[in-house]
């Protein structure tokens, strides 16, 4: 058996694993110097397994059981600044409790890697998967990589170490997986050998670190009106550099594993007229719908955003150019009074000024782990077909109407009892 | 990459005139001992310690306790205070043995 039983993995194997198991396995193979974590559902299953590796002596990681997520990330910040390869993991409300320290980690340019089991924020309290936790930190200077399934959660975590530590980047990285849907869903995962992972991530050799007594330094000095802004400008540049590094690392990982990764993953987009943009596990559901629609002759396509930070604006411009209608799916809501969610707002911004642009509309879906069915995704493509048809005659009106529509996909509207499979026709404010 | 020459925490350092491309990454100060160049004693509690060296027995309690390393020694003898870094907390006065009573906190600007 693999590392699951505390043995080393000396040959590649395909195993049935949950996303949490695959993530703990990747952490074992990365073998970080320090892990500080606090349990929270659905992340618990990841750290619980890793802590067992520590107690069984399978890894020599220094494990710090802290009293909160604020402390978890603070301890990891200290460890990383001291020169250690450090990791933590969290979910939803725990992620929210880290918020202050997220900015410290990125501001000090510490290459921390953190699996995030996406969970809805309270209230009302809910333990299931949506993206409201991660989206709350989209301006915190962290690289954010979303996973579609357990295999990607495993692959992305291994790549994240190299991306974070690249000298031109040196940024912390979140690797997300939808809570329960991926963390507790059993799938087939190909696990690389320990030696392959170790070789891929390499040895961490920080340029400067606090425990280097030959070259003392201060981390965390006060930076006021005359210096804070320059440090943030450096951070912005690092995020630009990250685009190239993420692509390079995705290519290198492909050469190792046969699974190539980029900032986005286009699916049947070559001649697509109707496109959906989505992140996370729902991309898997949507691919099935695209295949069905293609079989019926509908020119449907899909763009999965794998990397949300840095935002793949140019990729989206290139991929969505030539489409007639685009529906953007958000597993979190900006509660903006009708402007839709963050992915919709930023995708619209990315396409600004594109010649002959598609009609775009947005859907908030799946909040609190609400099941998102192929029928719901199909209803989005039906909407897009209708929008494209109407836009032929009256583009200006249709495009403005669609952009501000603010759909909620899969919520019970008046007159819909039981499980809704279509979003309500009613728009915000129209009742 | 050129590093700032001094701690970035003072408003009057030449280093903070550097463009962002030349400043140390993440606001770190890439050398030790830079606190000496930052005059944290520029403002105080309104009181400052003065020492009567004729009473001082050089037990060094004030030197051990001072949170700002503002007690100046010559070898193992106290010679006075570093007012560029003293914040006027008064701990030195408190830890000076009562029978010795060499240190007194006095209003700012009054010489001992």
């Amino acid at each position: 058996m693999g590392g699951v039983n505390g043995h080393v993995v000396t040959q590649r194997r395909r195993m049935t694993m949950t996303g949490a198991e695959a993530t703990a396995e990747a952490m074992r193979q990365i073998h970080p110097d320090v892990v500080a974590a606090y349990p929270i559902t659905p992340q618990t299953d990841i750290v619980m397994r890793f802590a067992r590796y520590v107690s069984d002596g399978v890894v020599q990681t220094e494990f710090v059981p802290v009293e909160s997520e604020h402390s978890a990330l603070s301890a990891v910040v200290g460890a990383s600044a001291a020169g250690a390869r450090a990791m933590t993991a969290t979910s939803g409300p725990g992620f929210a409790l880290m918020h202050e320290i997220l900015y410290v980690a990125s501001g000090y340019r510490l290459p921390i890697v953190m699996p995030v089991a996406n969970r809805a924020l309270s209230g009302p309290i809910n333990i299931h998967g949506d993206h409201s936790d991660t989206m709350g930190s989209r301006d915190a200077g962290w690289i954010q990589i979303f996973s579609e399934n357990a295999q990607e959660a495993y692959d992305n975590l291994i790549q994240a170490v190299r991306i974070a530590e690249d000298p031109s980047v040196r940024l912390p990285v979140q690797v997300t997986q939808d809570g329960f849907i991926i963390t507790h869903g059993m799938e087939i995962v190909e696990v690389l050998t320990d030696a392959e992972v170790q070789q891929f991530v390499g040895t961490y050799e920080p340029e400067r670190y606090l425990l280097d007594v030959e070259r003392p330094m201060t981390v965390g000095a006060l930076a006021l009106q005359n210096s804070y802004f320059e440090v943030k400008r450096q951070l912005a540049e690092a995020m630009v550099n990250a685009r190239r590094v993420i692509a390079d690392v995705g290519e290198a990982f492909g050469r190792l594993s046969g699974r190539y990764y980029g900032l986005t993953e286009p699916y049947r987009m070559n001649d697509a007229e109707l496109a959906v943009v989505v992140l996370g596990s729902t991309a898997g559901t949507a691919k099935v719908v695209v295949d069905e629609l293609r079989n019926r002759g509908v020119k449907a396509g899909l763009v999965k955003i794998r990397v949300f930070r840095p935002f793949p604006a140019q990729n989206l411009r290139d991929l969505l150019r030539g489409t007639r209608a685009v529906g953007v799916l958000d597993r979190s809501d900006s509660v903006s009074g009708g402007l839709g969610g963050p992915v919709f707002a930023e995708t619209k911004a990315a396409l600004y000024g594109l010649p002959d642009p598609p009609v775009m509309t947005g859907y908030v879906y799946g909040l609190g782990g609400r099941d998102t069915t192929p029928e719901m995704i199909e209803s989005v493509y039906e909407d897009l077909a209708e929008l494209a048809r109407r836009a032929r005659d009256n583009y200006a009106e249709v495009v403005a109407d669609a952009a501000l529509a603010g759909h909620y996909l899969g919520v019970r509207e008046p007159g819909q009892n039981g499980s809704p499979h279509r979003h309500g026709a009613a728009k915000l404010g129209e009742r | 990459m050129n590093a700032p020459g001094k701690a970035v925490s003072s408003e009057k350092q030449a280093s903070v005139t550097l463009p962002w491309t030349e400043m140390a990454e993440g606001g770190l100060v890439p050398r030790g001992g830079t606190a000496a160049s930052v005059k944290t004693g520029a403002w105080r509690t309104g009181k400052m310690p003065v020492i009567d060296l004729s009473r001082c027995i050089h037990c060094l309690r004030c030197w051990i306790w001072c949170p700002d390393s503002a007690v100046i020694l010559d070898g193992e003898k106290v010679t006075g205070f570093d007012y560029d870094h003293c914040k006027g907390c008064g701990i030195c006065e408190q830890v000076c043995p009562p029978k010795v009573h060499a240190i007194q906190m006095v209003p700012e600007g009054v010489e001992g």
Side-chain angles (χ1 to χ4, degrees), chain A residues 309-321:
Chain A
R309 283 287 181 274
F311 191 73
Q314 190 60 54
N315 303 56
L316 290 169
R317 279 177 89 84
D318 295 343
L319 290 165
L320 298 173
R321 186 186 308 245

Side-chain angles (χ1 to χ4, degrees), chain A residues 382-395:
Chain A
E382 286 168 12
D383 286 357
L384 296 179
E386 175 71 8
L387 281 173
R389 192 186 56 74
R390 282 173 46 215
R392 276 207 194 102
D393 306 324
N394 196 353
Y395 181 83

Side-chain angles (χ1 to χ4, degrees), chain A residues 111-113 143 159-166 169-173:
Chain A
I112 293 158
V113 173
I143 291 169
Q159 292 171 70
V161 175
R162 236 167 84 169
I163 294 162
E165 292 170 5
D166 188 282
V169 177
R170 290 184 50 79
L171 288 175
V173 183

Side-chain angles (χ1 to χ4, degrees), chain A residues 162-364:
Chain A
R162 236 167 84 169
I163 294 162
E165 292 170 5
D166 188 282
S168 70
V169 177
R170 290 184 50 79
L171 288 175
V173 183
Q174 297 161 18
V175 175
T176 81
Q177 53 188 307
D178 293 343
F180 286 104
I181 299 166
I182 298 175
T183 56
H184 291 62
M186 191 68 86
E187 297 177 42
I188 295 172
V189 177
E190 185 189 67
V191 177
L192 300 171
T193 71
D194 293 2
E196 283 172 329
V197 174
Q198 272 299 305
Q199 197 175 4
F200 190 82
V201 300
T203 308
Y204 179 43
E205 285 168 359
E207 195 189 347
R208 296 296 300 250
Y209 54 100
L210 281 170
L211 290 181
D212 182 354
V213 293
E214 298 302 317
R215 298 195 305 159
M217 66 172 192
T218 299
V219 173
L222 187 69
L224 296 177
Q225 296 97 321
N226 58 13
S227 51
Y228 178 90
F229 200 177
E230 278 72 22
V231 175
K232 292 299 165 182
R233 179 63 187 84
Q234 293 174 335
L235 180 64
E237 193 73 5
M239 196 58 91
V240 172
N241 295 342
R243 279 205 184 89
R244 176 184 48 77
V245 172
I246 292 165
D248 290 351
V249 170
E251 181 72 23
F253 191 84
R255 287 196 299 273
L256 171 69
S257 67
R259 295 182 296 276
Y260 289 82
Y261 287 93
L263 294 155
T264 53
E265 185 197 323
Y267 188 74
R268 305 192 76 163
M269 281 299 295
N270 276 344
D271 60 341
E273 293 179 355
L274 312 176
V276 160
V277 176
V278 65
L279 338 136
S281 63
T282 306
T285 312
K287 285 173 184 175
V288 173
V289 175
V290 169
D291 288 346
E292 285 176 7
L293 291 171
R294 283 283 180 174
N295 290 343
R296 287 186 241 151
V298 180
K299 290 187 172 176
L302 169 80
V303 178
K304 180 178 86 183
I305 294 179
R306 171 183 174 240
V307 179
F308 187 72
R309 283 287 181 274
F311 191 73
Q314 190 60 54
N315 303 56
L316 290 169
R317 279 177 89 84
D318 295 343
L319 290 165
L320 298 173
R321 186 186 308 245
T323 60
R324 291 169 57 211
V326 175
V328 182
L329 269 51
D330 267 286
R331 201 157 197 152
S332 66
D333 193 359
S334 289
V335 203
S336 52
L339 208 56
V343 189
F344 183 38
E346 297 196 9
T347 304
K348 271 189 291 188
L351 266 54
Y352 180 78
L354 199 67
D356 195 22
V359 180
M360 297 179 72
T361 194
Y363 299 81
V364 170

Side-chain angles (χ1 to χ4, degrees), chain A residues 3-4 17-30 32 35-55 59 61 63 87-92 95 98 113-119 133 145 147 149-150 152-154 157 174-185:
Chain A
V4 176
M17 294 175 125
T18 63
E21 274 181 280
T23 303
E25 185 67 358
M27 286 175 74
R28 182 189 67 78
Q29 295 183 305
I30 292 164
V35 169
Y38 189 84
I40 183 166
T41 302
Q43 158 266 35
T44 307
D45 203 27
I46 298 168
V47 180
M48 174 192 79
R49 289 169 193 278
F50 186 77
R52 192 180 296 151
Y53 290 144
V54 175
S55 66
V59 290
T61 302
F63 185 84
M87 297 177 79
T88 183
T90 193
S91 288
F95 187 97
M98 288 182 173
V113 173
M114 175 164 78
V116 178
N118 283 121
R119 167 178 163 173
D133 51 1
I145 305 177
S147 312
N149 50 45
E152 290 193 9
Y154 173 86
L157 200 64
Q174 297 161 18
V175 175
T176 81
Q177 53 188 307
D178 293 343
F180 286 104
I181 299 166
I182 298 175
T183 56
H184 291 62

Side-chain angles (χ1 to χ4, degrees), chain A residues 369-388:
Chain A
R370 171 64 50 89
D371 201 13
T372 305
T373 62
E375 291 81 4
M376 289 179 198
I377 308 285
E378 193 174 332
S379 78
V380 170
Y381 282 102
E382 286 168 12
D383 286 357
L384 296 179
E386 175 71 8
L387 281 173

Side-chain angles (χ1 to χ4, degrees), chain B residues 25-46:
Chain B
E25 199 178 80
L28 70 84
V29 183
R31 57 182 51 79
T34 52
S37 68
V38 183
K39 296 188 176 178
T40 51
W43 59 269
R44 255 188 293 279
T45 57

Side-chain angles (χ1 to χ4, degrees), chain A residues 91-131:
Chain A
S91 288
F95 187 97
L97 187 55
M98 288 182 173
H99 192 72
E100 177 197 1
I101 312 302
L102 292 170
Y103 290 76
V104 176
S106 63
Y108 296 168
R109 308 289 301 283
L110 299 171
I112 293 158
V113 173
M114 175 164 78
V116 178
N118 283 121
R119 167 178 163 173
L121 294 177
S122 300
I125 193 163
N126 176 294
I127 57 171
H128 286 277
D130 75 26
H131 296 158

